[in-house]
Amino acid sequence: MTYDFSGWATKADMKCSDGRVICKDAFKECDGKTVPLIWSHQHNTPFAVLGHALLENQNDGVYAYCSFNNTEAGQNAKLLVEHGDVCALSIFANKLKQIGSNVVHGAIKEVSLVLAGANPGAFIDAVMAHDDESDFSATIYTGEPIVLCHSDNGEEKKSDGGKKEEPSKTSEKSEDDETVGEVFNTLNEKQKDVVYALIAEAIKEGDENNSEKGEEEMKHNVFDNEEQKEKKTLSHADLQAIIADGKRYGSLRESFMAHTQDLDVDDVNCLAHAQDYGIENIGYLFPDAKNVTATPQFIQRDTGWVQKVMGAVHHSPFSRIKSIFADITEDEARARGYIKGKKKKDEVFSLLKRVTTPTTVYKKQKMDRDDVVDITDFGVAVWLKSEMRMMLDEELARGFLIGDGRLASSDDKINEQNIRPIATDDDLFTIKVTVDVTSSSTDDEKAKKFIAAAIKARKNYKGSGSPTLYTTEDMLTACLLLTDTTGRDLYTDETQLAKKLRVKEIITVPVMEGAKGKNGGDLLGVIVNLADYNVGADKGGSVNMFEDFDIDYNAEKYLIETRCSGALVKPHSAIVLETTAVTGASETGGAGQVA
């Protein structure tokens, strides 16, 4: 035949860089077919078509006889091949059928010239030169053949320079006549375990291993030859029957067990026990469970409100906060009329001062170094630090709004003289409003009284700009479910309710559920513009992470801490709404609950 060059389009039984292995005769149906010769798998332009390739299926793979067309691109590629600049081939195939990573069937759609072939067996091994007097005058090789594999003594085995292997016609039994069982018998124990893993992968892929569903595409195939040794195994028909029944029995294990119950030990076509299938430890067939996420997921409260609080408070570069106020609301501070002959009176008003100093808030963790080293699925130290920062921010945000909720006697309690909770702050700074509801009140009654109390208290608010309502999910739900006498919603969404309450927005705070106000009632909401709440930290007092290693206990230790203060700095800048106190309630440190 007349052609410009020839070479292996793909080699059988070699491992590809993507993990696939093309089995012998996987592309047998492509024998004798002519497919386009393409430059580097470019399918979106006709200018990438360089010619065509005639495919020939052989024992070692698919061999291609390629001819260039007379286009500028084709002739340019021809010069590159003749000069030895390009010597690698690659294929594009679809309709792939796989068992695990083994490709057992497919259709080659094109052969491509590539600069760097992924398949060490796919290369150009013969270039034909044409002249005017004959079809070809010489065979030009592309230089040193590509290394295919390494021999047992460490020497490199090279390709035969374009000489294709001719199948033996004198052998008593051809390779095509070998059964799967006979081929499987040549594997050693280690290779046998690999086959078990492939079978497990086949079951995992389900029906796609037994019937074609859609098309999967592959652009190259690079494979490694495996040394084969003998071991007893089952026939091809037995294996197909077991795999086919795997779905019906629910698992591959049950299918194997069912197929061994009625087998005759003396029957050469049947095997009596599971170990006769080459499976002494059938559990190896089943892969380990896989994590659905890269790192363990936290079971946590909704923390969306935390960042809103941390971002809304006012930050200062100093931690010792002093607030001085002059109260001129009393009558003594008023201007007076003068009566002739009477002594003029001096103005009298009181000065108020409050100083807030910083405190340290921290979180500490440790892990045994053996565990840190053994956990390889994800960066456990980074994951642990993210959890520590998340919990520190939540604790600070909770402390700013309602307090940390611990008893006053607890060593872990955040001192409320250093980080002053808005919900229990002095009456000069927070307006305390009691919502007259009892445990027997309905949700509608509670919601209506809450809305009314919040609106009435708004006249005493002296904070900056438009405040925000921080409340519980139950309180918000009760308000949104209010209806008129015809059953229509009074407030269709949170925006309408916020407008009614004269607040900028409504933010639900999960940790407010069950919290108590300063007078001992259930805390229903805090209305405040957090720009009036100052959080101060000196240089070096911002959030810091420390790491240390305990030599004695082989433990990695982590500490995250901050030293800061927090307090409202403007009088009457917050409104706190709570229910009527329950008589007999005991004192706690949660949010200033008192009897």
Side-chain angles (χ1 to χ4, degrees), residues 15 38 120 151 179 185 214 264 278 285 360 392 400 408 453 499 512 551 588 590:
K15 188 176 183 180
I38 305 292
S151 61
T179 66
N185 286 339
D264 186 356
L285 288 173
T360 299
L392 179 68
F400 299 157
K499 187 176 180 180
M512 194 179 287
I551 297 177
T588 70

Side-chain angles (χ1 to χ4, degrees), residues 166-216:
E166 295 294 336
S168 173
K169 297 181 181 179
T170 60
S171 61
E172 295 180 359
K173 184 177 181 180
S174 68
E175 293 182 4
D176 292 340
D177 295 330
E178 290 182 335
T179 66
V180 172
E182 292 172 339
V183 174
F184 199 83
N185 286 339
T186 63
L187 302 180
N188 59 26
E189 291 290 340
K190 185 176 181 180
Q191 293 164 342
K192 199 75 169 184
D193 289 339
V194 174
V195 175
Y196 302 153
L198 292 178
I199 295 175
E201 183 68 20
I203 293 300
K204 180 181 177 181
E205 293 180 3
D207 292 339
E208 293 182 0
N209 298 333
N210 301 315
S211 62
E212 293 183 22
K213 291 185 177 181
E215 295 186 359
E216 182 181 1

Side-chain angles (χ1 to χ4, degrees), residues 36-39 42-51 69 71-74:
L37 178 65
I38 305 292
W39 176 255
Q42 298 183 40
H43 299 164
N44 57 351
T45 172
F47 301 106
V49 179
L50 309 177
N69 55 35
T71 63
E72 182 179 351

Side-chain angles (χ1 to χ4, degrees), residues 105-376:
H105 180 271
I108 297 176
K109 295 302 181 182
E110 53 97 337
V111 176
S112 283
L113 283 174
V114 290
L115 295 178
N119 188 333
F123 63 91
I124 300 170
D125 63 1
V127 179
M128 314 305 295
H130 295 269
D131 56 27
D132 296 335
E133 297 181 359
S134 62
D135 290 339
F136 61 92
S137 59
T139 299
I140 303 174
Y141 296 98
T142 59
E144 287 295 324
I146 296 175
V147 176
L148 298 182
C149 62
H150 294 273
S151 61
D152 294 336
N153 58 13
E155 297 179 355
E156 294 180 349
K157 296 180 180 179
K158 301 180 181 296
S159 66
D160 59 1
K163 296 181 181 180
K164 298 172 292 178
E165 178 185 354
E166 295 294 336
S168 173
K169 297 181 181 179
T170 60
S171 61
E172 295 180 359
K173 184 177 181 180
S174 68
E175 293 182 4
D176 292 340
D177 295 330
E178 290 182 335
T179 66
V180 172
E182 292 172 339
V183 174
F184 199 83
N185 286 339
T186 63
L187 302 180
N188 59 26
E189 291 290 340
K190 185 176 181 180
Q191 293 164 342
K192 199 75 169 184
D193 289 339
V194 174
V195 175
Y196 302 153
L198 292 178
I199 295 175
E201 183 68 20
I203 293 300
K204 180 181 177 181
E205 293 180 3
D207 292 339
E208 293 182 0
N209 298 333
N210 301 315
S211 62
E212 293 183 22
K213 291 185 177 181
E215 295 186 359
E216 182 181 1
E217 296 182 345
M218 176 185 63
K219 289 190 176 181
H220 58 274
N221 33 64
V222 185
F223 308 90
D224 295 330
N225 254 335
E226 297 286 347
E227 182 182 0
Q228 298 179 340
K229 293 185 179 181
E230 182 180 26
K231 189 180 179 184
K232 178 174 60 177
T233 185
L234 70 166
S235 69
H236 179 268
D238 294 331
L239 179 62
Q240 290 290 353
I242 291 170
I243 294 177
D245 288 343
K247 184 175 181 180
R248 179 166 63 89
Y249 283 101
S251 70
L252 184 61
R253 179 196 298 269
E254 296 299 328
S255 182
F256 266 104
M257 293 302 117
H259 278 269
T260 60
Q261 290 179 356
D262 302 324
L263 297 179
D264 186 356
V265 176
D266 298 327
D267 190 344
V268 296
N269 294 321
C270 298
L271 301 173
H273 303 287
Q275 58 265 29
D276 292 330
Y277 281 91
I279 303 173
E280 296 178 359
N281 299 297
I282 194 169
Y284 293 165
L285 288 173
F286 306 97
D288 294 335
K290 300 293 184 182
N291 289 328
V292 296
T293 56
T295 59
Q297 294 179 295
F298 295 115
I299 300 175
Q300 63 183 93
R301 293 175 292 273
D302 177 21
T303 57
W305 65 278
V306 174
Q307 294 306 316
K308 292 183 178 181
V309 170
M310 299 299 290
V313 296
H314 179 265
H315 296 270
S316 66
F318 47 86
S319 60
R320 288 163 176 79
I321 305 169
K322 181 190 295 184
S323 303
I324 301 177
F325 308 101
D327 186 0
I328 58 175
T329 61
E330 301 296 332
D331 286 342
E332 288 78 2
R334 296 177 63 186
R336 294 175 171 85
Y338 175 71
I339 300 175
K340 183 188 293 187
K342 294 286 185 178
K343 181 180 179 181
K344 293 179 180 178
K345 298 179 180 179
D346 295 328
E347 179 185 357
V348 179
F349 59 84
S350 59
L351 290 176
L352 306 174
K353 182 181 75 170
R354 181 167 81 169
V355 177
T356 305
T357 57
T359 186
T360 299
V361 182
Y362 72 94
K363 183 173 173 60
K364 185 179 177 183
Q365 268 285 10
K366 72 175 181 178
M367 283 193 69
D368 192 283
R369 187 176 184 278
D370 291 345
D371 295 330
V372 175
V373 173
D374 291 342
I375 299 175
T376 59

